[in-house]
Amino acid sequence: MHKPRMHLVASFDIAHLQYLDEQGHATQELPDFATPDTLLAMYRQMALARLVDDRAVKLQRTGQLGTYPSTLGQEAIGVGTGAALQPQDVYCPYYRETGALLERGVEIEEILAIWGGDERGQNYAHAPEDLPLCVPIATQLLHAAGVAFALKYQRDQLGRPARVAVASAGEGATSKGDFYEALNLAGVWKLPAVFVINNNQWAISVARSAQTAAQTIAQKAVAAGIPGLQVDGNDVIAVRAAVADAVERARNGAGPMLIEALSYRMCDHTTADDASRYRPEAELAEAQKREPLVRLGRYLRAGGYWSNEAESELQRELAEILERALADYRDRQKEPPTAMFDHLYAALPEAFLDQYDELAGNGGS
Amino acid sequence: MHKPRMHLVASFDIAHLQYLDEQGHATQELPDFATPDTLLAMYRQMALARLVDDRAVKLQRTGQLGTYPSTLGQEAIGVGTGAALQPQDVYCPYYRETGALLERGVEIEEILAIWGGDERGQNYAHAPEDLPLCVPIATQLLHAAGVAFALKYQRDQLGRPARVAVASAGEGATSKGDFYEALNLAGVWKLPAVFVINNNQWAISVARSAQTAAQTIAQKAVAAGIPGLQVDGNDVIAVRAAVADAVERARNGAGPMLIEALSYRMCDHTTADDASRYRPEAELAEAQKREPLVRLGRYLRAGGYWSNEAESELQRELAEILERALADYRDRQKEPPTAMFDHLYAALPEAFLDQYDELAGNGGS
Amino acid sequence: MAQITLLEAVTQALAHELAADPRVVVFGQDVGANGGVFRATNGLQQAFGAERVLDTPLAENMIAGIAVGMATQGLRPVAEFQFMGFIYPALDHILSHAARFRNRTRGRLSCPLVYRAPYGGGIHAPEHHSESTEAIFTHIPGLRVVVPSSPARAYGLLLAAIRDPDPVIFLEPKRIYRAAKQEVPDNGEALPLDRCFVLREGQDLTLIAWGAALKETLAAADQLAAEGIEAEVIDPATLKPLDIHTVIDSLEKTRRCVVVHEAARFGGLGGEIAAQINEYAFDLLDAPVARVTGYDTVMPYYRLEYDYLPSVERILAVARETLDYRAGGAR
Amino acid sequence: MAQITLLEAVTQALAHELAADPRVVVFGQDVGANGGVFRATNGLQQAFGAERVLDTPLAENMIAGIAVGMATQGLRPVAEFQFMGFIYPALDHILSHAARFRNRTRGRLSCPLVYRAPYGGGIHAPEHHSESTEAIFTHIPGLRVVVPSSPARAYGLLLAAIRDPDPVIFLEPKRIYRAAKQEVPDNGEALPLDRCFVLREGQDLTLIAWGAALKETLAAADQLAAEGIEAEVIDPATLKPLDIHTVIDSLEKTRRCVVVHEAARFGGLGGEIAAQINEYAFDLLDAPVARVTGYDTVMPYYRLEYDYLPSVERILAVARETLDYRAGGAR
Ligand SMILES: Cc1ncc(C[n+]2csc(CCOP(=O)(O)OP(=O)(O)O)c2C)c(N)n1
Ligand SMILES: Cc1ncc(C[n+]2csc(CCOP(=O)(O)OP(=O)(O)O)c2C)c(N)n1
Ligand SMILES: [Mg+2]
Ligand SMILES: [Mg+2]
């Protein structure tokens, strides 16, 4: 059959954003926010995230913590995203989130508590409206769409200020219906929502190439009729710039956006995983060269804003912060068994009083 | 902030295919299959589908049938799709399917039985491997991906011939995670699957524009990294050409494809619906001008292949076929109550014998 | 005052709460201009605007998930699933999130939301349109599951569900959506979500049923009454948490009990009720707690659906067996 | 012959069927090179190729749905859900399709498939990784639900599940994945899917449990034995369809029964078992059928998980109450 004539009805481009290359050289003029102070603050948070992750893994290895998902090598995504938000925005995290949670004001001790098997860790003292960590893959993206609706509704119907819901997920999560349903709804309802994907190339042992035939994750936005952008996820400036732009766009009523941040999971999936079973050695070595903390450090050193002394001083300071948090974590008492009923409902229904009493050791059967 | 420099990482185009315009004029050279005989055969099937639909609605109105979904105005999609398949391919329908089922050899009486509340209608005599009608929206698309896997596996591992799974759904279904998950899997596993979307502009009362911000449904393929094409769904030649191409492509190992067929639901959603509650009058009038049966008739008449006499003769013939099917449908006896257990498991487990006996009137409690 | 149907009572309750509480948002498939496929939201979008009564895209998992997100930020979402048969894709968000947000965050965030769905068989609908799988939901900690069986209870219980600080699954027995009319003053008075309703008093036998099955159950009770047997008929209405005490109180009088439900027998709520009666009132029982239920098979296409549903005859037969039961064993 | 764990017995059964039947296909998240997060599919991809042992993208609804499609065309899909807590997005395909294809098509197409998932608590896992909601599945007509509790039963029951012509939910108690070793000859001999296993004989009390809870249940039975009380311990293994007759036979001897399960109490399978015992053996009972279960709350994060799970102490306490029970009422 001869080739039929067709006419074009739609066209889409997916772009990539980078400010700092692997050597820490600026590839273009930096955005306005990128003052030395701001960059140093982000450097500090990334270093802290790395320290917390490292220690958490050690705690798990010594039986002091449950399964823990490190963000090693992906710190720029959490920190860049967190730094791009306003405090009143609502963050809807997944579970690989050390940097972002630190930016949102969640306590290290709270993070440890969560992975230490204690729900109280999710009762964030300083991020009262943010959603808790979310384990069932991609579900938080729909919650974020709902949160975004609420924020829009509260602005339009109840006269509250404009706020944005920002959600994160891994690239594996983009294979799940929730991801797509969330984007599609956010698109058609023009919700103030930003979806940030940590494309760390692996979903446990499943490689990015086995998740989807899409050349980029960013292009999945096309399905929902919303803009999608790919950023260098090891470049904290690019991450922050892209997310901040998307957030302000959303705040101004222009609707949602999808951001794919390219990075690499330099750690095991979690402490329960052994990546050596499936990850090619060479890949990790390659990734090492592109990692975000060293990269930003190079830029700062080249500009004269950073030095070995500053680094030692920072590490000392961060270690102290961490030790204080660890002390709090270790001091934490287990809740009484009855706590498992304390927040099941706003008030415990009569039907469960027997069981509550049994747990309290007051008899019952 | 000044606009950052970005580089392009991916680009996508969505094309539209048409052969016959609204007046029934060819807009380009027709594909090879479009001989007068083939076109007449498709005209006949579309006319039969319209007749069956019309009568089914009347049967429902007079209490002789349950809820029924007509395909009025969308006959080209079912007939064009069905005609594009080989008998050994596996069709995975949704529920608005009169034309396609007729093409697949499903009996009119079977179609009526299904909507008449009798599972035996799904036990197709002449399409033994096709999936039954599927009510839960979009779920059949995942079944189709599984079927496609099975066909590929049977070819690769068990030496069977190359076959293709073809699934259909409405445009409303493309908002559901199943749709996206099916496309994504088919893409990454390069499955021999073709997904045909009947974009009839409405999902019950929800307009196309309220389903998604995507400019086309076809572009949703981009998210899965597979090709997407839009066709004039009121042009049976375009539908058949596009589906046949996609099916042969899939058969040859080139992977899946998404086809959006643009049409209009000229009827109520089902007999349980009253479209006048939500559908703008003018829209229906506009759609009337584009409908597929008259369009193909015009082309055939202009070419001298069709006439009023031929039409009367056809209607007479089809009416007879329909009457015979109706007689069979009316003669059909209700199954005995125990039939509800006959095909629950391959063999009824002992645990349910009591209940079976109770239904059989042999006692039990 | 006009008499209204159960369906209209649902609409009346929704309208009342939309008017009373600006945080209430109603959404789902076809709930807008169309007023819902059963018309439960008839006129609400016209009255309260498309910002508060919204048609969603077609995705139940999405509907459930956004309701969670909305609720955590202080809205009071009331989401409709078009039929109970289409609620299954949403289970993950209902079970893993709606029911757990309060517990997970130690009370910081909660999910005051309502998931509504028409449920049950008997209207000659297509496949998947006649489900009654309430037992799946009653097993989930953190949920409330409510089934009204009259216009007044639909109104009062739905008000209570919307105002409840926790997630409620509100299942509307569509077979009786328009079966009976009743005066239901639009006074905003909610009914309790922790009490059974005793629909008929009696001392010879306790019949327990909910939703549409009460139609046959009450008819059976009438028939028994004609024979001089007084059955007490209890509608739990809130299936979870279940007010077993009202049931036990009844058994103090009757000592015999039959539970009736449309759902499949195995693992249906009838088993839980029987088990609890056993636990709380073993000594009271003069006969085993009996069940009249749907069969342990898929709800058939409509030609056989009334062979599947508990009928007055089946209820009467089992009631008589239960009444006639005389302990044959050693005790 | 080497002794193997329950986990290794699962692998052995999968390998056996992959070798024996070219229609068998194994897939799920991380089941390939990684061999599954628990290593249940360890080495299978290497042995049988990436065409028969496949890693899927991350979508449980998809996994369930494609299994249905594959099975309708004659394959024998064995799909893994990584944890039972992630099976919920798949419920629609399991309930609406896998369980109904045969019935819907009057036997024309069927779903001979297995959905495997590690289940239960007690391994200090994160949230959602300790679910035991088998009662959701046992309520669904058309399914089989199977829980092994030893290496030999894991092997024999999984073979049976894969060969069964209908859909099977196969729940693997991960707390005892590596708890004990046993010789399990790789002889391809399946165990029946319609019989309870009597793990211990006794005449004083019937204890019923499945999966990991058997560990505590058997320990409780040992303790009772030390006191001269002989408990019969029954493992139903196939929870649906349930072989109640073995239970009733046991009650003929013991007249007293305690059911133990990890799942939340309300609507758990214990209720159904109690109800059936009531129905089939009311006259036999000298005490109410008692339940020792998880509480009606969300499985807590791990610090409290052992406060949630049935312990030997709780089982013993309830067993003693049941043994000591003397009818106080009129009968
Ligand atoms: C619904 C669901 N399925 C499976 C899992 C188990 N699981 C936890 S993380 C993970 C991989 C996620 O990969 P990705 O989305 O890329 O995020 P990453 O962990 O790489 O950051 C899986 C399969 C889960 N948590 N939820
Ligand atoms: C999962 C699910 N949700 C809801 C429904 C009820 N329902 C039946 S058809 C329909 C609209 C479908 O629209 P579309 O996909 O565009 O197909 P069309 O009927 O227009 O051909 C809805 C909501 C259903 N069958 N399944
Ligand atoms: Mg990843
Ligand atoms: Mg449509």
Side-chain angles (χ1 to χ4, degrees):
Chain A
M1 201 177 104
H2 75 114
K3 229 181 140 50
R5 192 161 29 78
M6 307 204 192
H7 72 272
L8 198 68
V9 285
S11 285
F12 308 94
D13 288 336
I14 300 297
H16 178 100
L17 177 68
Q18 187 194 55
Y19 286 100
L20 291 188
D21 69 13
E22 300 182 15
Q23 277 65 50
H25 299 141
T27 55
Q28 61 176 311
E29 195 188 324
L30 299 193
D32 294 345
F33 70 75
T35 60
D37 277 1
T38 312
L39 297 182
L40 284 168
M42 293 200 291
Y43 183 85
R44 180 183 185 282
Q45 290 286 67
M46 292 201 289
L48 181 55
R50 190 162 289 190
L51 207 64
V52 170
D53 280 346
D54 182 69
R55 184 62 73 90
V57 171
K58 293 197 177 102
L59 288 173
Q60 191 279 335
R61 297 284 184 242
T62 52
Q64 301 173 74
L65 194 76
T67 304
Y68 184 83
S70 170
T71 65
L72 185 66
Q74 307 140 76
E75 296 89 349
I77 299 173
V79 170
T81 299
L85 312 197
Q86 302 295 324
Q88 75 274 18
D89 294 331
V90 177
Y91 191 54
C92 309
Y94 75 125
Y95 50 80
R96 191 182 303 286
E97 293 282 2
T98 321
L101 294 197
L102 293 174
E103 278 289 339
R104 295 299 293 170
V106 176
E107 302 279 1
I108 296 169
E109 195 240 345
E110 290 172 337
I111 299 174
L112 294 175
I114 297 169
W115 300 107
D118 184 343
E119 287 87 347
R120 286 173 298 179
Q122 305 266 34
N123 187 3
Y124 307 151
H126 312 301
E129 290 174 300
D130 280 3
L131 300 196
L133 294 193
C134 184
V135 168
I137 299 286
T139 53
Q140 75 282 0
L141 304 176
L142 280 168
H143 305 160
V147 168
F149 177 92
L151 301 180
K152 184 176 194 270
Y153 183 91
Q154 285 164 346
R155 191 197 57 187
D156 296 350
Q157 307 289 313
L158 312 176
R160 308 267 294 273
R163 299 158 70 197
V164 179
V166 178
S168 59
E171 90 291 345
T174 69
S175 295
K176 196 152 168 279
D178 298 64
F179 164 77
Y180 168 71
E181 291 177 354
L183 263 63
N184 190 59
L185 183 80
V188 72
W189 283 9
K190 257 199 164 186
L191 299 177
V194 176
F195 303 96
V196 180
I197 303 303
N198 172 354
N199 179 353
N200 63 11
Q201 312 302 331
W202 291 93
I204 310 186
S205 73
V206 180
R208 155 70 178 81
S209 59
Q211 281 295 340
T212 180
Q215 301 93 310
T216 67
I217 299 294
Q219 78 198 51
K220 290 178 181 281
V222 170
I226 69 172
L229 174 69
Q230 195 182 63
V231 305
D232 185 333
N234 292 330
D235 170 3
V236 72
I237 303 176
V239 173
R240 177 163 171 172
V243 176
D245 249 27
V247 166
E248 289 324 305
R249 212 180 146 272
R251 200 185 306 286
N252 296 330
M257 189 160 164
L258 173 67
I259 295 173
E260 172 190 12
L262 285 170
S263 185
Y264 194 83
R265 200 193 75 209
M266 287 171 50
C267 44
D268 289 335
H269 168 69
T270 64
T271 49
D273 179 48
D274 172 9
S276 73
R277 290 176 68 88
Y278 53 80
R279 183 181 56 197
E281 281 286 328
E283 217 184 77
L284 181 61
E286 269 309 303
Q288 199 84 39
K289 300 184 196 152
R290 291 191 298 270
E291 68 104 319
L293 191 59
V294 170
R295 182 186 305 202
L296 182 59
R298 283 194 185 132
Y299 175 81
L300 291 170
R301 281 165 197 263
Y305 310 118
W306 201 241
S307 63
N308 288 348
E309 299 69 54
E311 183 72 36
S312 317
E313 177 50 32
L314 176 66
Q315 291 300 336
R316 202 165 24 246
E317 185 208 331
L318 297 181
E320 260 177 44
I321 292 174
L322 181 59
E323 289 309 328
R324 275 199 301 276
L326 283 173
D328 287 348
Y329 172 66
R330 293 199 176 103
D331 287 350
R332 190 172 266 265
Q333 297 298 309
K334 184 182 144 179
E335 286 191 289
T338 50
M340 66 177 87
F341 275 115
D342 285 348
H343 300 283
L344 184 64
Y345 298 90
L348 191 64
E350 218 180 284
F352 307 122
L353 290 180
D354 281 7
Q355 295 185 31
Y356 186 92
D357 289 346
E358 178 184 325
L359 269 171
N362 297 343
S365 76
Chain B
M1 201 175 104
H2 76 114
K3 229 181 139 50
R5 192 161 30 78
M6 306 204 192
H7 72 271
L8 198 67
V9 284
S11 284
F12 308 93
D13 287 337
I14 300 298
H16 178 100
L17 177 66
Q18 187 195 56
Y19 286 99
L20 290 187
D21 69 13
E22 300 181 16
Q23 276 66 50
H25 299 141
T27 54
Q28 61 176 313
E29 194 188 324
L30 298 193
D32 294 345
F33 70 75
T35 62
D37 277 1
T38 311
L39 297 182
L40 285 168
M42 293 200 290
Y43 183 86
R44 180 184 185 281
Q45 289 287 66
M46 292 201 288
L48 180 56
R50 190 163 291 191
L51 207 62
V52 170
D53 280 346
D54 182 68
R55 185 63 73 91
V57 171
K58 292 197 179 102
L59 288 173
Q60 191 281 334
R61 298 283 184 243
T62 53
Q64 300 172 75
L65 195 75
T67 304
Y68 184 84
S70 170
T71 64
L72 185 66
Q74 307 140 77
E75 296 89 349
I77 299 174
V79 170
T81 298
L85 313 197
Q86 302 296 323
Q88 74 272 21
D89 294 331
V90 178
Y91 190 55
C92 308
Y94 77 126
Y95 49 80
R96 192 182 302 286
E97 293 282 0
T98 321
L101 294 198
L102 293 174
E103 279 289 339
R104 295 298 293 170
V106 176
E107 302 279 0
I108 296 169
E109 195 240 345
E110 290 172 337
I111 299 174
L112 294 174
I114 298 169
W115 300 107
D118 183 344
E119 288 87 348
R120 287 172 299 178
Q122 304 266 33
N123 187 3
Y124 306 152
H126 313 300
E129 291 175 299
D130 280 4
L131 300 195
L133 293 192
C134 184
V135 168
I137 298 286
T139 53
Q140 74 283 359
L141 304 175
L142 279 168
H143 304 160
V147 168
F149 176 90
L151 301 180
K152 183 175 196 272
Y153 183 91
Q154 286 163 346
R155 191 196 57 186
D156 296 349
Q157 306 290 312
L158 311 176
R160 306 266 296 274
R163 300 158 69 198
V164 179
V166 178
S168 59
E171 90 292 345
T174 70
S175 295
K176 197 151 167 278
D178 299 63
F179 164 77
Y180 167 72
E181 292 176 354
L183 263 63
N184 189 59
L185 183 79
V188 71
W189 284 7
K190 254 197 165 190
L191 299 177
V194 176
F195 303 96
V196 180
I197 303 303
N198 172 352
N199 179 352
N200 63 11
Q201 312 302 329
W202 291 93
I204 308 186
S205 74
V206 179
R208 154 70 179 83
S209 59
Q211 281 296 342
T212 180
Q215 301 93 310
T216 66
I217 299 294
Q219 78 197 51
K220 290 179 182 280
V222 171
I226 70 172
L229 173 69
Q230 196 181 65
V231 305
D232 184 333
N234 293 331
D235 170 3
V236 72
I237 303 176
V239 173
R240 177 163 172 173
V243 176
D245 250 28
V247 166
E248 289 323 306
R249 211 180 146 273
R251 200 185 305 286
N252 296 329
M257 189 160 163
L258 173 67
I259 295 171
E260 172 189 13
L262 285 169
S263 184
Y264 194 83
R265 199 193 76 211
M266 286 170 51
C267 44
D268 289 336
H269 168 69
T270 64
T271 50
D273 179 48
D274 172 8
S276 73
R277 290 176 67 88
Y278 54 80
R279 184 180 57 197
E281 280 287 328
E283 217 183 77
L284 181 61
E286 270 309 303
Q288 199 85 41
K289 300 184 195 153
R290 291 191 298 270
E291 69 104 319
L293 191 60
V294 169
R295 183 187 303 202
L296 181 60
R298 283 196 185 132
Y299 175 81
L300 291 170
R301 282 165 195 260
Y305 310 117
W306 202 241
S307 63
N308 288 349
E309 298 70 52
E311 181 74 34
S312 315
E313 177 50 32
L314 175 67
Q315 291 300 336
R316 202 166 21 246
E317 185 207 331
L318 298 180
E320 262 176 44
I321 292 173
L322 181 60
E323 290 310 326
R324 276 199 300 277
L326 284 173
D328 287 347
Y329 172 66
R330 292 199 178 104
D331 286 350
R332 189 172 267 266
Q333 298 296 311
K334 183 183 146 180
E335 286 190 290
T338 50
M340 66 177 87
F341 275 113
D342 284 348
H343 300 282
L344 184 63
Y345 299 89
L348 192 65
E350 217 180 283
F352 307 123
L353 290 180
D354 281 7
Q355 295 185 29
Y356 187 91
D357 288 346
E358 179 184 325
L359 269 170
N362 299 343
S365 75
Chain C
M1 197 173 43
Q3 305 241 332
I4 62 174
T5 61
L6 196 160
L7 181 64
E8 289 160 342
V10 167
T11 317
Q12 180 172 302
L14 292 171
H16 189 279
E17 290 308 282
L18 278 162
D21 186 345
R23 300 169 305 173
V24 172
V25 177
V26 169
F27 55 96
Q29 295 156 11
D30 306 292
V31 302
N34 199 34
V37 292
F38 285 101
R39 310 291 177 253
T41 55
N42 200 15
L44 297 182
Q45 188 179 69
Q46 292 81 344
F48 297 98
E51 294 74 31
R52 299 190 60 203
V53 180
L54 303 95
D55 284 328
T56 63
L58 207 169
E60 286 76 9
N61 180 60
M62 178 273 287
I63 290 173
I66 63 170
V68 168
M70 292 178 187
T72 65
Q73 305 300 312
L75 298 193
R76 295 270 166 163
V78 182
E80 175 176 307
F81 297 99
Q82 199 154 80
F83 287 86
M84 190 185 203
F86 308 132
I87 209 172
Y88 307 124
L91 182 74
D92 188 34
H93 281 279
I94 297 173
L95 182 158
S96 303
H97 293 303
R100 298 187 181 185
F101 246 86
R102 179 188 293 282
N103 183 64
R104 169 185 299 151
T105 62
R106 304 275 85 192
R108 180 168 64 85
L109 299 175
S110 59
C111 283
L113 57 78
V114 180
Y115 294 123
R116 294 178 43 243
Y119 107 116
I123 63 161
H124 274 25
E127 195 181 358
H128 305 283
H129 288 70
S130 304
E131 305 279 303
S132 47
T133 42
E134 66 271 22
I136 290 179
F137 300 92
T138 55
H139 186 46
I140 301 175
L143 293 184
R144 285 187 164 78
V145 181
V146 180
V147 180
S149 64
S150 73
R153 282 188 293 279
Y155 178 76
L157 292 170
L158 183 49
L159 291 184
I162 298 174
R163 294 172 194 169
D164 192 85
D166 289 302
V168 179
I169 310 282
F170 195 83
L171 301 172
E172 300 165 9
K174 60 178 175 293
R175 179 157 66 93
I176 57 167
Y177 255 160
R178 299 181 172 93
K181 294 196 170 198
Q182 195 178 12
E183 273 191 17
V184 184
D186 192 10
N187 56 12
E189 279 177 27
L191 287 168
L193 293 183
D194 58 0
R195 285 289 165 264
C196 292
F197 296 88
V198 179
L199 303 190
R200 194 180 190 296
E201 302 207 357
Q203 64 291 324
D204 299 326
L205 174 69
T206 302
L207 296 175
I208 303 175
W210 50 92
L214 274 163
K215 198 170 156 218
E216 287 73 28
T217 305
L218 287 165
D222 284 347
Q223 176 106 10
L224 290 172
E227 303 167 18
I229 299 162
E230 293 302 333
E232 182 139 307
V233 178
I234 297 181
D235 173 9
T238 297
L239 305 184
K240 177 178 185 134
L242 181 74
D243 165 25
I244 196 68
H245 299 297
T246 298
V247 172
I248 303 300
D249 288 350
S250 177
L251 276 159
E252 300 262 2
K253 291 189 292 184
T254 65
R255 312 181 73 90
R256 296 170 193 264
C257 178
V258 177
V259 189
V260 182
H261 59 67
E262 277 190 33
R265 181 187 197 85
F266 194 91
L269 192 60
E272 177 64 29
I273 294 174
Q276 289 203 19
I277 291 174
N278 207 261
E279 286 159 0
Y280 284 101
F282 183 71
D283 289 349
L284 292 178
L285 288 177
D286 283 343
V289 178
R291 295 184 281 176
V292 182
T293 69
Y295 294 100
D296 280 319
T297 188
V298 179
M299 165 56 97
Y301 284 20
Y302 77 72
R303 285 216 187 179
L304 295 186
E305 72 175 331
Y306 276 93
D307 295 296
Y308 173 91
L309 294 171
S311 61
V312 177
E313 293 67 38
R314 280 171 65 198
I315 298 169
L316 280 174
V318 174
R320 289 193 221 283
E321 269 178 45
T322 302
L323 287 161
D324 294 346
Y325 190 92
R326 295 292 170 265
R331 59 174 173 173
Chain D
M1 198 173 44
Q3 305 242 332
I4 61 174
T5 62
L6 196 159
L7 181 64
E8 288 160 342
V10 167
T11 316
Q12 180 171 303
L14 292 171
H16 190 279
E17 290 307 283
L18 277 162
D21 187 345
R23 300 169 304 173
V24 172
V25 178
V26 169
F27 55 95
Q29 295 156 11
D30 306 293
V31 302
N34 199 33
V37 293
F38 286 101
R39 310 289 177 254
T41 56
N42 200 15
L44 296 182
Q45 188 179 68
Q46 290 83 343
F48 298 96
E51 294 73 30
R52 299 190 62 203
V53 180
L54 302 95
D55 284 328
T56 63
L58 208 169
E60 286 76 9
N61 180 59
M62 178 273 287
I63 290 173
I66 63 169
V68 168
M70 292 178 187
T72 65
Q73 305 301 311
L75 299 193
R76 296 268 166 165
V78 182
E80 174 175 307
F81 296 99
Q82 198 154 80
F83 287 86
M84 190 184 202
F86 308 132
I87 209 172
Y88 307 123
L91 182 74
D92 189 34
H93 282 278
I94 298 173
L95 183 156
S96 302
H97 293 303
R100 298 188 182 186
F101 246 85
R102 179 188 294 282
N103 183 64
R104 170 184 301 149
T105 63
R106 303 275 86 190
R108 180 169 64 87
L109 300 175
S110 59
C111 283
L113 56 78
V114 180
Y115 294 124
R116 295 176 43 243
Y119 105 118
I123 63 159
H124 274 24
E127 195 180 359
H128 306 283
H129 288 70
S130 305
E131 306 279 301
S132 47
T133 43
E134 65 270 23
I136 290 179
F137 298 92
T138 54
H139 185 47
I140 300 174
L143 293 184
R144 284 186 165 79
V145 181
V146 179
V147 180
S149 63
S150 74
R153 282 188 293 280
Y155 178 76
L157 292 169
L158 183 50
L159 290 185
I162 298 174
R163 295 173 193 169
D164 193 85
D166 289 301
V168 179
I169 309 283
F170 195 83
L171 300 172
E172 300 165 9
K174 60 179 177 291
R175 180 157 65 93
I176 57 167
Y177 254 160
R178 300 181 172 92
K181 293 195 171 199
Q182 195 178 11
E183 273 189 18
V184 184
D186 192 11
N187 56 11
E189 279 177 27
L191 288 167
L193 293 183
D194 58 359
R195 285 290 166 263
C196 292
F197 296 89
V198 179
L199 303 190
R200 192 182 192 295
E201 301 208 358
Q203 64 290 325
D204 299 327
L205 175 68
T206 302
L207 296 174
I208 303 174
W210 50 92
L214 274 164
K215 198 169 157 217
E216 287 72 29
T217 305
L218 287 165
D222 284 345
Q223 176 107 10
L224 290 172
E227 302 167 18
I229 299 162
E230 293 302 332
E232 182 139 307
V233 178
I234 297 181
D235 173 8
T238 297
L239 305 184
K240 177 175 185 134
L242 182 73
D243 164 24
I244 196 69
H245 299 295
T246 299
V247 172
I248 303 301
D249 288 350
S250 177
L251 276 159
E252 299 263 2
K253 293 189 292 186
T254 65
R255 312 180 75 90
R256 295 169 194 266
C257 179
V258 177
V259 188
V260 182
H261 60 65
E262 276 191 35
R265 181 185 196 86
F266 193 92
L269 191 60
E272 176 64 30
I273 294 174
Q276 289 203 19
I277 292 174
N278 208 262
E279 287 160 358
Y280 284 100
F282 183 71
D283 289 350
L284 293 177
L285 288 176
D286 283 343
V289 178
R291 294 184 281 175
V292 182
T293 69
Y295 293 100
D296 281 319
T297 187
V298 178
M299 164 56 96
Y301 283 19
Y302 77 72
R303 286 216 186 180
L304 295 186
E305 70 176 332
Y306 276 93
D307 295 296
Y308 173 91
L309 294 171
S311 61
V312 177
E313 293 67 39
R314 280 170 65 198
I315 298 170
L316 281 174
V318 174
R320 291 194 221 285
E321 269 178 44
T322 301
L323 287 161
D324 294 346
Y325 190 91
R326 296 291 170 267
R331 59 176 173 172

